[in-house]
Amino acid sequence: MKDFTYRLPTRFVFGHGAEKKAGEELAALGATRVLIHYGGGSAVKSGLIGRLEEDLRAHGMTVLTLSGAKPNPRDDKVYEGIELVRREKIDFILAVGGGSAIDSTKAIAHGACYDGDFWDFFCGKAKVERTMPFGCVLTTSAAGSESSNSCVIMQESTLIKRGLSTELNRPLIAFMNPELAMTVPKYQIASGATDILAHIMERYFTCETEVDLTDRLCEAAMQAVIRAVRIAVKDPMNYDAQAQLMWGGTIAHNETVGVGRVGDFGSHQLEHELSALYDVAHGAGLAVVFPAWMRFQMKRHPMRLAQFANRVYNVPMNFEDPEETALRGIEAHESFLREIGMPVTMKELGARTEDIPKLAAKCKRNPGTDLIGRAWPITGAEAEEIYRIADR
Amino acid sequence: MKDFTYRLPTRFVFGHGAEKKAGEELAALGATRVLIHYGGGSAVKSGLIGRLEEDLRAHGMTVLTLSGAKPNPRDDKVYEGIELVRREKIDFILAVGGGSAIDSTKAIAHGACYDGDFWDFFCGKAKVERTMPFGCVLTTSAAGSESSNSCVIMQESTLIKRGLSTELNRPLIAFMNPELAMTVPKYQIASGATDILAHIMERYFTCETEVDLTDRLCEAAMQAVIRAVRIAVKDPMNYDAQAQLMWGGTIAHNETVGVGRVGDFGSHQLEHELSALYDVAHGAGLAVVFPAWMRFQMKRHPMRLAQFANRVYNVPMNFEDPEETALRGIEAHESFLREIGMPVTMKELGARTEDIPKLAAKCKRNPGTDLIGRAWPITGAEAEEIYRIADR
């Protein structure tokens, strides 16, 4: 178990009608001029944006809105947001939506406090030194951005998608009402759960030994998420399944199950290239990439993949051939992904064989190396091999 | 799953030599006049107190010390601390030790900011409205006080032991070095782990349905703690076992595994009377009371106790007779407690049969009722019955 320093500043307001407390809670945080940043029309049509505006105004705040946060959030919206925040002297940004709106908000908040180009943070030219207060009303369970230290933005002109990790990425407050996730399309619910599971798996597949407690917490969270999404894709109105998914998404990516270990996140890098090039749902891309990555890693790390198979999918351990257990676990995971409606091959995702060399070449390396991923790193050539495993 | 609001403000500095960062971290928190509050001589003899004093002074702080925090911490030490804090204009209290030093520190911090008698908070006469900054250097894994919202103090003159729950009980910072726990006597390691498990079990035994995620997190944490303490009582120098225990103790009692549900805590009330009367280790008292409480509850809640048996102790489920599974789980838990050297009967604890009516009578009721415990409440007469089950 590795040494760590950890603090989670986010205040969680979770449950039925959680977003109705936004006015009261933001007032307590000292917000006076609030920018609500959201995605498309559904949050407006459902009346959510209107209700939030009304509530914040009733608590004495001035409210502006910025729509258009997209999946795989773009830099152009971030620039627009930064300008708006500065011009209108905004002192709090409230994201409404999922990872896209929240990540876009994080980038706006950091950028508004920085004299240079915010993209400097994403290409490694500058470090985030300060930010401004922001929070979120979560409407979909997936990215975990409501309390994670992560943020992913795509540069529109280059289709380069880059992540940024900093403690300043953690929102001050998150309003989490599982009822709001009930109207999310089933494909997106499944894609979100796949992302949640991937966040746990990225931490679970580690070289760190003697991490029994966090191993078991990871396994617990994976089992609960797998159970909940099976219910939610059949019956999206099931509050309890949505609640398990929503809280599961949060703890999957805020280190509750990940302290004291180095995770991998190579699969996330491989996926970023897929969603940047084909604009597919991040979770759907992960459904394709992650099992292929596991098949590739199986020969190198059979025991940990056997542990995954045995403890998460209840595959009986084959003590004479752990690799067979590992393989059955990967197959069980693929079956589950198909069951909830996810693609598991490049073809099903709409990706082209001829793009594979380009995908592998663009994939982000660890600084100064050809390697992708931390705990179980792979080379660029191996990345290409993994895309080919997925290209069935 | 119940609605909840949750925020954990504690900053955790965890791992090898964690306490060496105290000067740097407390300076960053703005501390200038620090009171180090600790228990007996062992922290002085080991040089820990001296090293901390030196480090804080090297960072420009004025340092005072207050020793004598005892297990089942007493009100007289709290009064002494409050006076000292006021007289010396202390602006930060650093507890060094386990639950006793930390709980005593919490009470001092609240009391120093209150014009009346601090005991008002513990007997329900007043609510804690504000407190002063405090943190801790944890030296033993048990109470979880390093980030819990709990605090337990005993009134010396009456032997009344009372708990206080408030969000203001959560320390600002916790330095957690598992190496410091290596010199703790084996009996105390076992007693600490029993307390940790009890904190999880108090949350696990609930009437809340559809809490699959937190159920599984509880089971994960219990399995890891059981495994780690088995190693630690045989080999206290095993860093990794001590690390699992230390972090396990933290998450057991800070709602990481308990959001969205109502726990019971009746067993804790039953135990408080034992340790108040006989001055036994809190964990040892819990080792006696908890299995008896489970035996009593078995007929009312066979399925949840069967789930505990099956998922925590791998007892095969008897589908024709779940109560038999439940009983085998309780027996497995008792075997485990004996294995790590804990008492499991009143006699082994040194408690007297003739005291049972007095114990049951003194046990704290839920306000305005004869009931003890929240999720699975019992009457005073049933409390007596549980003590008698334990009196083998």
Side-chain angles (χ1 to χ4, degrees):
Chain A
M1 189 171 177
K2 290 181 78 69
D3 298 346
F4 63 88
T5 298
Y6 180 57
R7 181 169 177 266
L8 183 62
T10 311
R11 176 172 169 84
F12 300 100
V13 181
F14 189 102
H16 301 83
E19 76 283 3
K20 290 175 188 157
K21 294 177 191 148
E24 184 189 333
E25 295 274 354
L26 263 56
L29 288 171
T32 64
R33 296 181 64 82
V34 179
L35 176 66
I36 297 180
H37 182 31
Y38 61 98
S42 67
V44 176
K45 260 182 261 164
S46 73
L48 174 60
I49 300 296
R51 287 199 311 274
L52 284 167
E53 284 187 81
E54 201 176 316
D55 182 28
L56 299 187
R57 287 192 182 117
H59 282 82
M61 290 168 235
T62 300
V63 185
L64 283 90
T65 60
L66 174 66
S67 66
K70 281 190 206 173
N72 305 317
R74 316 300 158 98
D75 59 347
D76 54 351
K77 191 53 68 179
V78 175
Y79 291 117
E80 191 185 337
I82 291 170
E83 211 214 299
L84 189 59
V85 163
R86 286 178 178 160
R87 195 177 61 225
E88 298 292 340
K89 302 191 177 6
I90 295 296
D91 58 18
F92 195 101
I93 316 177
L94 183 65
V96 178
S100 312
I102 306 172
D103 280 9
S104 187
T105 292
K106 291 176 179 184
I108 293 170
H110 306 335
C113 298
Y114 177 63
D115 287 335
D117 180 352
F118 92 91
W119 190 253
D120 291 353
F121 301 136
F122 288 78
C123 63
K125 265 198 208 160
K127 269 185 81 168
V128 184
E129 303 280 357
R130 59 208 183 86
T131 191
M132 57 178 285
F134 60 93
C136 63
V137 174
L138 190 66
T139 61
T140 181
S141 308
S145 196
E146 62 275 12
S147 69
S148 75
N149 69 353
S150 302
C151 172
V152 179
I153 299 289
M154 189 164 77
Q155 195 174 42
E156 184 84 53
S157 59
T158 59
L159 294 188
I160 287 177
K161 199 174 163 187
R162 285 290 175 267
L164 168 73
S165 294
T166 161
E167 288 305 304
L168 295 175
N169 270 337
R170 302 194 197 270
L172 279 184
I173 191 159
F175 301 93
M176 302 173 64
N177 176 358
E179 294 168 311
L180 297 180
M182 290 174 178
T183 49
V184 170
K186 288 180 183 187
Y187 184 83
Q188 206 179 317
I189 293 174
S191 170
T194 307
D195 193 18
I196 293 169
L197 288 169
H199 288 152
I200 306 171
M201 289 157 73
E202 295 282 24
R203 291 168 169 88
Y204 189 70
F205 296 119
T206 181
C207 287
E208 208 60 47
T209 56
E210 294 300 336
V211 285
D212 184 47
L213 174 56
T214 40
D215 266 5
R216 289 185 187 275
L217 294 175
C218 285
E219 291 153 3
M222 285 190 272
Q223 289 199 301
V225 168
I226 289 166
R227 178 174 179 272
V229 69
R230 280 182 160 135
I231 299 168
V233 293
K234 285 195 193 108
D235 176 15
M237 301 306 283
N238 185 311
Y239 176 86
D240 287 304
Q242 294 285 8
Q244 311 296 307
L245 274 183
M246 195 168 260
W247 191 243
T250 298
I251 65 169
H253 207 26
N254 70 8
E255 304 317 327
T256 295
V257 301
V259 291
R261 53 166 74 210
V262 171
D264 191 74
F265 287 90
S267 297
H268 265 73
Q269 299 301 346
L270 294 170
E271 195 296 311
H272 285 338
E273 299 315 318
L274 288 176
S275 48
L277 187 59
Y278 306 113
D279 204 17
V280 294
H282 175 52
L286 286 166
V288 171
V289 162
F290 223 120
W293 179 89
M294 290 160 88
R295 281 175 192 272
F296 175 84
Q297 298 283 6
M298 191 173 66
K299 289 195 193 304
R300 294 182 181 174
H301 306 281
M303 289 308 271
R304 187 144 272 263
L305 279 155
Q307 181 179 320
F308 170 82
N310 178 255
R311 293 211 193 147
V312 178
Y313 282 105
N314 298 311
V315 174
M317 178 66 187
N318 182 338
F319 293 92
E320 293 182 359
D321 186 1
E323 208 179 301
E324 190 258 359
T325 310
L327 180 61
R328 287 194 54 203
I330 298 166
E331 289 169 349
H333 188 55
E334 284 173 334
S335 292
F336 155 76
L337 291 169
R338 282 190 193 282
E339 184 192 326
I340 61 169
M342 284 286 99
V344 297
T345 68
M346 295 272 278
K347 271 190 205 68
E348 289 167 12
L349 191 71
R352 287 177 301 265
T353 304
E354 56 268 34
D355 291 334
I356 287 177
K358 186 166 66 179
L359 290 165
K362 273 185 72 187
C363 196
K364 190 185 169 191
R365 269 50 172 182
N366 301 335
T369 71
D370 181 43
L371 297 174
I372 298 157
R374 296 281 169 179
W376 298 356
I378 53 169
T379 64
E382 288 164 350
E384 196 170 323
E385 197 179 330
I386 290 169
Y387 284 123
R388 292 198 191 282
I389 294 172
D391 187 33
R392 282 172 290 170
Chain B
M1 190 172 176
K2 290 181 78 70
D3 297 347
F4 62 88
T5 299
Y6 179 57
R7 182 169 176 268
L8 183 63
T10 311
R11 176 173 170 85
F12 300 101
V13 181
F14 189 101
H16 301 82
E19 76 284 2
K20 290 175 188 156
K21 295 177 190 149
E24 183 190 333
E25 294 275 353
L26 263 57
L29 288 170
T32 64
R33 296 181 64 80
V34 179
L35 176 65
I36 297 180
H37 182 30
Y38 61 99
S42 67
V44 176
K45 259 182 262 164
S46 73
L48 174 61
I49 300 296
R51 287 200 312 273
L52 284 167
E53 283 187 82
E54 200 177 316
D55 182 29
L56 299 187
R57 287 193 182 118
H59 283 83
M61 290 167 235
T62 300
V63 185
L64 283 90
T65 59
L66 174 65
S67 66
K70 280 190 205 172
N72 305 317
R74 314 300 157 96
D75 59 346
D76 54 350
K77 191 53 66 179
V78 176
Y79 291 117
E80 191 184 338
I82 291 170
E83 212 214 297
L84 189 59
V85 163
R86 285 178 179 161
R87 194 178 61 226
E88 298 292 340
K89 300 191 179 6
I90 296 296
D91 58 18
F92 195 100
I93 316 178
L94 183 65
V96 178
S100 313
I102 306 173
D103 280 9
S104 186
T105 292
K106 291 176 179 183
I108 293 170
H110 306 334
C113 298
Y114 178 63
D115 287 334
D117 180 353
F118 92 91
W119 189 253
D120 291 353
F121 301 136
F122 289 78
C123 63
K125 265 197 208 161
K127 270 185 80 169
V128 184
E129 304 279 358
R130 58 208 184 87
T131 192
M132 57 177 284
F134 60 93
C136 61
V137 174
L138 190 65
T139 61
T140 181
S141 309
S145 196
E146 62 275 13
S147 69
S148 75
N149 69 354
S150 301
C151 172
V152 179
I153 299 289
M154 189 164 76
Q155 195 172 44
E156 184 85 53
S157 59
T158 59
L159 294 187
I160 287 177
K161 198 174 164 187
R162 285 288 176 268
L164 168 72
S165 294
T166 161
E167 288 305 304
L168 296 175
N169 270 338
R170 302 194 196 270
L172 278 185
I173 192 160
F175 300 94
M176 302 172 64
N177 176 0
E179 294 168 311
L180 297 180
M182 289 174 177
T183 49
V184 170
K186 288 180 183 186
Y187 184 83
Q188 206 178 316
I189 292 173
S191 171
T194 307
D195 194 17
I196 293 170
L197 288 170
H199 288 152
I200 306 170
M201 289 157 72
E202 295 282 22
R203 291 169 168 87
Y204 189 70
F205 297 119
T206 181
C207 286
E208 208 60 46
T209 56
E210 295 300 337
V211 285
D212 185 47
L213 174 57
T214 40
D215 266 5
R216 289 185 187 275
L217 294 174
C218 284
E219 291 153 3
M222 285 190 273
Q223 289 199 300
V225 168
I226 289 166
R227 177 174 180 273
V229 69
R230 280 183 159 135
I231 298 169
V233 292
K234 285 195 192 108
D235 176 16
M237 300 307 283
N238 185 310
Y239 177 85
D240 287 304
Q242 295 285 8
Q244 310 295 309
L245 275 183
M246 195 168 259
W247 191 243
T250 298
I251 66 168
H253 207 25
N254 70 8
E255 304 317 326
T256 295
V257 301
V259 290
R261 53 166 73 209
V262 171
D264 191 73
F265 288 89
S267 296
H268 264 74
Q269 299 301 346
L270 295 169
E271 194 296 311
H272 285 337
E273 300 313 319
L274 288 176
S275 48
L277 188 58
Y278 305 112
D279 203 18
V280 293
H282 175 52
L286 286 166
V288 171
V289 162
F290 223 121
W293 179 88
M294 290 160 88
R295 282 174 191 272
F296 175 84
Q297 298 283 7
M298 191 173 66
K299 288 194 194 304
R300 294 183 181 173
H301 306 282
M303 289 308 270
R304 187 144 274 262
L305 279 155
Q307 181 180 319
F308 170 82
N310 178 253
R311 293 212 194 147
V312 178
Y313 281 105
N314 298 311
V315 174
M317 178 66 188
N318 182 338
F319 293 92
E320 292 183 358
D321 186 0
E323 208 179 301
E324 191 258 0
T325 310
L327 180 61
R328 287 194 53 202
I330 298 166
E331 289 169 350
H333 188 55
E334 283 172 335
S335 292
F336 155 76
L337 291 169
R338 282 191 192 282
E339 184 191 328
I340 61 168
M342 284 287 100
V344 297
T345 68
M346 295 271 279
K347 269 189 206 69
E348 288 167 11
L349 192 70
R352 288 178 300 266
T353 304
E354 56 268 33
D355 291 334
I356 287 178
K358 187 166 65 181
L359 289 165
K362 273 185 72 186
C363 196
K364 190 185 171 191
R365 269 53 172 179
N366 301 335
T369 71
D370 181 44
L371 297 174
I372 298 158
R374 296 280 170 180
W376 298 356
I378 54 169
T379 65
E382 289 163 350
E384 196 171 323
E385 197 178 330
I386 290 169
Y387 284 123
R388 293 200 190 281
I389 293 172
D391 187 32
R392 283 171 289 169

